[in-house]
C-alpha cells in the first residue's frame, strides 16, 4: 500500500507572486515550472488518494495545491527535484525520504550529484542517454501532452499556402532566434507578404519586451538581434513583430491564425521541447533542427529538419500545396496520437512512486549515438570544468 507523500520541489523565482491554477498552456513561468504545476494537478485528479505538495520558498497563491517550504520538516516522503533545483533540495530538512532527480536538459551540468542521488528521470531518449551517468538508476517519463484543438476552431487549417509564421520560445542564444531571423528574408522571398510573430520573453528579464515592435530591450543578445533585424530590407523588417509574453487566451488566438512555426534551428539545449508539441495541436508544422532532444520530434518530420535540409529546400517543399496539406494533416494526427499517451504517462508516475518502473531500452541511429558520446566528452571534460574555473576567477 502506497502511503508516502509526494513532494515536487522548485524554488524558481519565476514562480514568485504566481497564482497557481490548472493552466492549459505555459503562462511564461519557464518550462520546468509549468510542467511541474500541470503534473501535480493531473496526478491529484487521476490518483485522488495521493497527497501531492509543492515545496518552494516563493510567495505563491494556491487553493488546490498544498504548499510547504524550507522551514517545514519533511519525513517519509518522495521528493522529486529538477536537477537545476538541486541547491534548493539541500536547503530542505528531510529524513527517511526517497529523493529522485528530474532532468529537463540534455547533458545536464550537475554531474556531481550522482554521488548523492541514485535515481534520475529524463524526458526523452536523447536526453536519457546523455545523462545516464549522473545516477545509477535512470528512467524515462515523458511530459504530459497538450490536448489538440478542434479542427473547426482552426481557421487556417485548410489554406493552401503558409502566410503567418510564428516563433514561440525564450529569447536567448540557445534557442536560436538569431538564426530564425537570418532565414526570414529567404522565407519572405518564397512566400510573399508573409508575417513573423514572435512570442516569448528574455530568459532573465521576461517582462521587458516592448510589444508590437522590432526594437527590444538592451542586453548583449538583444542588441545582437537588433543588428540582425536592421540588416533586413524595410519590408522584411516591418513583417517581424515581437509580442512578448502572452497569456493563454492571447497565445491561443495567435496560434489559431498561424500556418508554420519557426523554432530552435539547432536543437541545442532542448530535452523534450514543449513548443513544437503545442504547435502540433493547432495543426502547425514546425521548422526546426532535429538535434539534441528536438530529434525525438523532428525524426517524424524530416522534410522540415534544418539539420538535414537548407531553408531554401524546405521552402520549396512547402510551396507545393499538396506537400503543405499533407504535412499539416500528419502534424495534427501526431498531436492526437501523443495526447492518447497521457494515461500511460500518469501510470508511469504511479509505477515510479511504487518503485515498479522499469529502466528503458533505447535504440537511436548510430550518428546520434556518436554525437552524444562526443558531446559528453566535450561537456564533461572541457566546457563544464572551464565554466567552473571561470566562476572562481571572476
Amino acid at each position: 500500500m502506497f502511503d508516502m507523500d509526494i513532494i515536487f520541489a522548485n524554488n524558481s523565482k519565476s514562480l514568485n507572486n504566481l497564482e497557481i491554477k490548472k493552466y492549459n498552456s505555459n503562462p511564461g513561468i519557464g518550462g520546468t515550472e509549468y510542467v511541474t504545476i500541470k503534473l501535480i494537478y493531473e496526478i491529484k485528479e487521476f490518483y485522488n488518494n495521493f497527497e501531492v505538495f509543492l515545496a518552494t520558498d516563493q510567495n505563491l497563491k494556491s487553493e488546490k495545491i498544498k504548499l510547504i517550504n524550507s522551514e517545514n520538516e519533511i519525513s517519509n516522503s518522495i521528493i522529486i527535484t529538477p536537477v537545476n533545483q538541486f541547491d534548493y533540495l539541500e536547503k530542505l530538512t528531510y529524513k527517511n525520504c526517497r529523493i529522485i532527480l528530474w532532468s529537463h536538459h540534455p547533458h545536464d551540468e550537475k554531474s556531481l550529484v550522482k554521488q548523492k542521488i541514485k535515481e534520475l528521470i529524463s524526458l526523452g531518449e536523447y536526453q536519457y542517454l546523455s545523462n545516464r551517468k549522473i545516477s545509477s538508476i535512470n528512467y524515462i517519463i515523458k511530459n504530459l501532452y497538450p490536448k489538440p484543438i478542434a479542427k473547426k476552431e482552426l481557421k487556417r487549417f485548410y489554406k493552401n499556402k503558409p502566410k503567418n509564421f510564428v516563433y514561440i520560445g525564450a529569447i536567448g542564444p540557445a534557442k536560436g532566434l538569431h538564426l530564425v531571423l537570418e532565414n526570414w528574408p529567404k522565407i519572405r522571398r518564397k512566400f510573399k507578404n508573409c508575417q513573423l510573430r514572435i512570442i516569448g520573453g528574455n530568459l532573465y528579464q521576461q517582462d521587458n519586451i516592448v510589444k508590437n515592435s522590432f526594437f527590444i530591450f538592451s542586453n548583449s543578445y538583444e542588441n545582437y538581434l537588433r543588428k540582425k533585424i536592421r540588416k533586413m530590407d524595410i519590408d522584411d523588417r516591418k513583417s517581424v513583430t515581437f509580442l512578448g509574453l502572452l497569456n493563454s487566451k492571447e497565445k491561443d488566438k495567435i496560434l489559431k491564425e498561424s500556418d508554420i512555426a519557426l523554432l530552435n534551428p539547432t536543437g541545442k539545449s532542448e530535452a523534450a521541447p514543449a513548443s513544437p508539441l503545442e504547435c502540433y495541436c493547432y495543426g502547425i508544422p514546425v521548422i526546426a533542427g532535429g538535434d539534441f532532444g528536438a530529434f525525438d520530434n523532428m525524426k517524424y518530420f524530416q522534410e522540415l529538419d534544418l539539420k538535414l535540409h537548407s531553408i531554401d529546400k524546405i521552402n520549396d517543399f512547402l510551396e507545393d500545396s499538396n506537400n503543405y496539406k499533407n504535412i499539416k494533416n500528419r502534424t495534427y494526427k501526431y498531436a492526437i496520437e501523443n495526447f492518447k499517451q497521457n494515461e500511460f504517462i500518469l501510470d508511469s508516475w504511479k509505477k515510479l512512486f511504487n518503485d515498479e518502473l522499469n529502466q528503458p531500452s533505447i535504440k537511436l541511429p548510430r550518428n546520434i549515438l556518436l554525437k552524444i558520446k562526443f558531446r559528453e566528452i566535450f561537456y564533461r571534460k572541457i566546457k563544464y570544468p572551464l565554466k567552473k574555473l571561470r566562476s572562481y576567477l571572476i
Side-chain angles (χ1 to χ4, degrees), residues 232-355:
M232 295 179 185
D233 293 340
I234 186 66
D235 288 341
D236 291 343
R237 191 186 309 167
K238 288 181 177 179
S239 70
V240 179
T241 304
F242 284 84
L243 299 176
L245 293 172
L246 302 181
N247 61 39
S248 296
K249 187 176 180 180
E250 292 170 331
K251 184 165 66 171
D252 176 68
K253 182 178 183 298
I254 296 297
L255 292 179
K256 284 178 179 177
E257 297 171 351
S258 298
D259 301 312
I260 297 286
L262 305 176
L263 303 185
N264 191 336
T266 65
K268 185 180 178 182
S269 86
E270 305 290 2
S275 295
L277 299 176
E278 189 172 7
C279 291
Y280 297 149
C281 289
Y282 289 79
I284 301 173
V286 170
I287 299 174
D291 200 357
F292 294 85
F295 171 80
D296 293 351
N297 288 326
M298 294 307 297
K299 65 184 177 183
Y300 299 109
F301 304 100
Q302 294 187 14
E303 304 94 328
L304 305 182
D305 187 345
L306 285 166
K307 302 299 288 187
L308 299 177
H309 309 293
S310 68
I311 190 63
D312 290 327
K313 187 172 181 179
I314 292 173
N315 286 340
D316 290 341
F317 173 82
L318 291 172
E319 188 181 31
D320 184 299
S321 59
N322 288 326
N323 289 340
Y324 180 53
K325 289 178 183 177
N326 176 268
I327 205 159
K328 279 198 294 186
N329 283 314
R330 281 168 49 202
T331 292
Y332 190 73
K333 183 178 179 182
Y334 180 62
I336 292 172
E337 293 303 314
N338 283 341
F339 185 66
K340 292 177 182 177
Q341 296 184 44
N342 281 356
E343 187 171 335
F344 170 80
I345 292 169
L346 287 167
D347 186 61
S348 296
W349 280 102
K350 180 181 179 182
K351 287 180 178 178
L352 174 72
F353 299 148
N354 285 307
D355 203 12

Side-chain angles (χ1 to χ4, degrees), residues 12-18 57-60:
S12 170
K13 291 181 180 179
S14 68
L15 294 174
N16 198 37
N17 296 320
L18 182 72
D57 287 348
Q58 300 302 317
N59 181 30
L60 296 174

